[in-house]
Amino acid sequence: MTASVESVMLAEPRGFCAGVDRAIEIVERALAKFGAPVYVRHEIVHNTYVVNDLKAKGAVFIEDLADVPPGATLVFSAHGVSQAVRQEAQARGFSIFDATCPLVTKVHVEVGKLHRQGYEFLMIGHKGHPEVEGTMGQLSEGIHLVEDVADVARVQPRQTERLAVVTQTTLSVDDAAEILTAIKARFPQVREQKQQDICYATQNRQDAVKVLAPQVDVLVVVGSPTSSNSNRLRELAERLGTQAHMVDSPDDLQSAWFDGKQRVGLTAGASAPDILVQQVIERLKALGAVSVQRMPGVVETTRFPLPKGLK
Ligand code: SF4
């Protein structure tokens, strides 16, 4: 069978969120103001194209502060950092710009506030993700990671009178709800957040896939393998019974995915730039797509201010 794509349906919203926009702008403005190199701790956002573009402009991505020379300009990535990293960077006198998404900072502030009131925490998130390391690293102890329902059965907080839940901002909304239900069953007195930590952008992109996936034969998600929210979009479509593939660049597309598939859905994770979406559309047109439709969806208006010194 050969590719038979007829139409492309675009999820709405998709692509960059306000936190990613702000983080990239912080690096670009720091480069413009202070000149290259600007050091960035961890990938500023989890996207290969974005990272390579900033590297070409003079950004140097590092994981270990030991690789940053004295007096350098240093940017913390959108995922946030632990207190230990923040304190080390301050002690070494770097000129620091914090690109931590304000919605991640909000979680950090809440953890600090409740900790001072004697709370211990269960954090729903993925082990090893830098946001989880940053949030758990707000405290030296008393914050326990639960990745799934099985972890909830195993976790052993020192006390259960003052127990609170926090989550990574880019989780599957449905998985997080299931884990939270298990937490509430085991620890009925647990304190829930007034507002969930999963961010508006993650929620909106998953909602859009829930609408789009049943209407298409295959879904393409533009996003890098390290991008948590992009992976969740692909998984969500598959759970809904729609074949889904994630691509880091248009070159990853395989024409065999579209054999016998007429309607192709297209979305992008919060860290994936629109230029890649446009390039994927061009490839799909080359495979026969004659129409490109935008689905109705939420219009996002969230914007975050830049840090002092870069406005
Ligand atoms: S995905 Fe959400 S938490 Fe992450 S940078 Fe975007 S708005 Fe912030």
Side-chain angles (χ1 to χ4, degrees):
M1 214 183 275
T2 53
S4 52
V5 178
E6 288 180 5
S7 62
V8 180
M9 296 167 84
L10 295 172
E12 200 67 44
R14 62 179 182 282
F16 276 9
C17 60
V20 164
D21 252 339
R22 173 178 178 271
I24 295 169
E25 196 170 352
I26 287 172
V27 180
E28 287 179 336
R29 286 195 180 214
L31 282 163
K33 191 162 176 182
F34 306 105
V38 163
Y39 288 80
V40 184
R41 187 188 176 277
H42 195 71
E43 293 192 339
I44 184 73
V45 299
H46 283 155
N47 186 268
T48 311
Y49 181 97
V50 169
V51 167
N52 287 341
D53 183 57
L54 291 173
K55 269 186 196 166
K57 291 173 179 168
V60 177
F61 293 89
I62 52 95
E63 295 297 327
D64 189 341
L65 295 185
D67 296 329
V68 184
T73 300
L74 174 69
V75 178
F76 295 144
S77 80
H79 315 96
V81 293
S82 65
Q83 287 295 336
V85 169
R86 186 175 296 277
Q87 282 158 14
E88 185 188 341
Q90 282 165 350
R92 293 194 47 205
F94 303 130
S95 171
I96 300 168
F97 292 98
D98 189 357
T100 304
C101 177
L103 299 181
V104 174
T105 301
K106 191 171 134 244
V107 177
H108 292 184
V109 169
E110 184 75 0
V111 165
K113 194 179 89 189
L114 291 177
H115 173 67
R116 287 190 291 279
Q117 295 172 19
Y119 276 87
E120 215 169 319
F121 297 87
L122 301 182
M123 174 159 198
I124 308 175
H126 299 290
K127 192 172 184 190
H129 189 281
E131 182 189 326
V132 169
E133 289 175 354
T135 299
M136 293 188 69
Q138 296 307 300
L139 304 180
S140 52
E141 56 178 7
I143 185 160
H144 312 272
L145 182 64
V146 289
E147 293 194 273
D148 52 30
V149 170
D151 281 350
V152 176
R154 278 192 291 262
V155 70
Q156 293 296 348
R158 278 169 310 180
Q159 50 81 31
T160 57
E161 294 306 304
R162 290 193 163 215
L163 199 57
V165 176
V166 285
T167 72
Q168 190 178 334
T169 56
T170 52
L171 297 179
S172 152
V173 173
D174 298 333
D175 285 353
E178 190 191 338
I179 298 168
L180 185 59
T181 300
I183 290 173
K184 286 199 282 193
R186 184 167 169 211
F187 306 107
Q189 70 285 36
V190 73
R191 183 186 197 281
E192 276 184 74
Q193 321 90 309
K194 283 194 208 86
Q195 250 191 324
Q196 66 161 9
D197 298 327
I198 294 177
C199 75
Y200 80 94
T202 298
Q203 174 88 54
N204 288 346
R205 279 150 194 71
Q206 288 179 22
D207 288 348
V209 165
K210 282 184 181 169
V211 172
L212 179 61
Q215 301 186 50
V216 297
D217 302 312
V218 59
L219 180 80
V220 175
V221 180
V222 181
S224 291
T226 43
S227 163
S228 172
N229 79 90
S230 304
N231 278 294
R232 305 294 85 79
L233 296 177
R234 180 186 49 75
E235 287 169 6
L236 175 57
E238 281 174 350
R239 275 185 205 177
L240 294 168
T242 305
Q243 186 188 313
H245 304 280
M246 203 165 79
V247 294
D248 203 4
S249 92
D251 295 338
D252 295 343
L253 288 169
Q254 296 178 23
S255 61
W257 296 343
F258 308 105
D259 283 352
K261 307 280 197 290
Q262 295 170 353
R263 292 161 307 168
V264 178
L266 181 55
T267 189
S271 47
D274 190 57
I275 185 170
L276 297 180
V277 173
Q278 299 309 323
Q279 290 170 359
V280 169
I281 291 173
E282 290 311 311
R283 299 283 177 104
L284 293 172
K285 283 183 178 168
L287 290 173
V290 286
S291 78
V292 180
Q293 269 174 266
R294 205 176 259 226
M295 299 294 291
V298 173
V299 177
E300 294 178 340
T301 53
T302 304
R303 296 280 175 274
F304 297 128
L306 291 166
K308 280 190 207 118
L310 288 179
K311 285 183 187 161

